[in-house]
Structures are given as C-alpha cells and as structure tokens.
Amino acid sequence: MFCYNTGYVKSSGYGGAGIAGATYDTFSVSNSYSLGKAEGLKNQWLGKPQAIVSSTDGNSTIKNCYYVLELTGVDDPNATAVTADEMKQADFLTKINAGEDAFVADTKNINNGFPILKWQATEATGIKHINNFASTAINLDGNTVVCDQPVKVYTLEGVLVASGHDVTLDKGTYVIKADGAMKKVVIK
C-alpha cells in the first residue's frame, strides 16, 4: 500500500484512524505510517480511535505499519509505535520499505524530515495536454492551464490556489477539478 498520514482525523461517529477507518474481508494495509492526531467516539463493537486502522475483522491484514504515539494521541495494537526521531532515521526507511523503494528520506523538508514517497522527491516533468478530462479539454502550455470551462486548482493539501479559464501556476503538484472530475498534474 505505501502511504502515510500527517493530518488531524476526527470521526463524527465511532472510531477514526490515520490510514483507514475500518477494514473488512480481505482488505490489507501495509508499509504505512501515521503522524496525525486521531479522535472519535469509543464503542466496543463499533471501534475506537486508533493510529492506523480503527476497526477490523479477522480477515483483514495490517502489517508493517508505524505511528508516533506523541503525535497521534492514540495507540494501535496492530501497528508499531516509534518515536519521531526513530522515524526520521535511515534504518526506519529500510523497515517501512520492506525490500521496496517507495519511501525516501525527506532531504527537501517536504514533510518536516519524516519519510516521503519517492515520487514526491523527483523533479516534475512538463505536461502539454490532459486527454479525456470529463467532457472538456484542458491544455497545459508550460505552466499555464487553459480550458473552455472554469477549472479550480488545489494543492495536494486541498487548498484552492487558482480558478478560471486561463490560470498560471508555479512549479508543483496540483489537483485540477472541472466538470465534476479531477486530475493530478505536475508543473515543472
């Protein structure tokens, strides 16, 4: 799976967790970590807040997952607690990658020194055109987005940074929404 969470998670109901609220059947969560605070109501049948997964049945698999208790505020019996300092060390990358190379060191301080996904550390490549974007064509010319319909452009954190028919963007990774659909794009 190879994912991580750094955001605050507050469930309006029972449970709540950094990676998945509940897993059932043959769902699996692996090679992931959470730093985000998790809050929610507790119930012996419907779950309680956990660092990685709130509620699971006996058929789900949760393996090689980690969390920082001081940051999540909740424990997780299906994952391993480590300190923030431990998570920032090179040997942690070896553990969470489990023979793969999905996570790398955060040398650009993208994630406050915590491991990042490899794609986050790579330089962006230019995109000239996005095909089949809902029912509209969005053209990218360098760092300018041009569309016959209004688009909204968000950061990966969900912050709206631009909107309109002709939008100029800085280097970065964005989510473009238009006509009820969305695409992730990288501007170099």
Side-chain angles (χ1 to χ4, degrees), residues 18-171:
I19 301 297
T23 60
Y24 299 106
D25 299 323
T26 58
F27 189 87
S28 71
V29 176
S30 62
N31 308 82
S32 302
Y33 74 85
S34 184
L35 306 173
K37 185 171 182 72
E39 293 183 343
L41 302 173
K42 298 174 186 175
N43 180 287
Q44 71 184 55
W45 296 285
L46 300 175
K48 65 180 185 175
Q50 304 275 30
I52 303 296
V53 176
S54 174
S55 178
T56 183
D57 65 7
N59 299 318
S60 298
T61 304
I62 302 168
K63 66 179 182 175
N64 201 35
C65 294
Y66 302 87
Y67 64 98
V68 176
L69 180 59
E70 296 81 22
L71 299 175
T72 63
V74 291
D75 212 350
D76 195 321
N78 295 307
T80 303
V82 295
T83 67
D85 288 339
E86 289 172 322
M87 194 175 278
K88 293 178 181 181
Q89 301 301 313
D91 63 330
F92 180 77
L93 287 173
T94 302
K95 289 180 190 176
I96 197 160
N97 276 323
E100 302 289 331
D101 65 348
F103 283 101
V104 296
D106 183 17
T107 59
K108 297 179 183 177
N109 203 32
I110 295 168
N111 192 26
N112 296 315
F114 291 98
I116 58 174
L117 294 166
K118 186 176 182 178
W119 66 264
Q120 292 178 282
T122 58
E123 286 296 319
T125 57
I127 299 173
K128 292 293 182 190
H129 183 77
I130 303 172
N131 291 321
N132 301 322
F133 188 88
S135 62
T136 190
I138 295 177
N139 293 297
L140 295 177
D141 183 11
N143 65 335
T144 302
V145 178
V146 180
C147 183
D148 60 347
Q149 294 185 25
V151 297
K152 291 185 179 183
V153 182
Y154 298 87
T155 65
L156 291 179
E157 292 77 28
V159 176
L160 179 66
V161 293
S163 63
H165 294 276
D166 189 341
V167 177
T168 301
L169 300 169
D170 293 329
K171 290 180 182 180

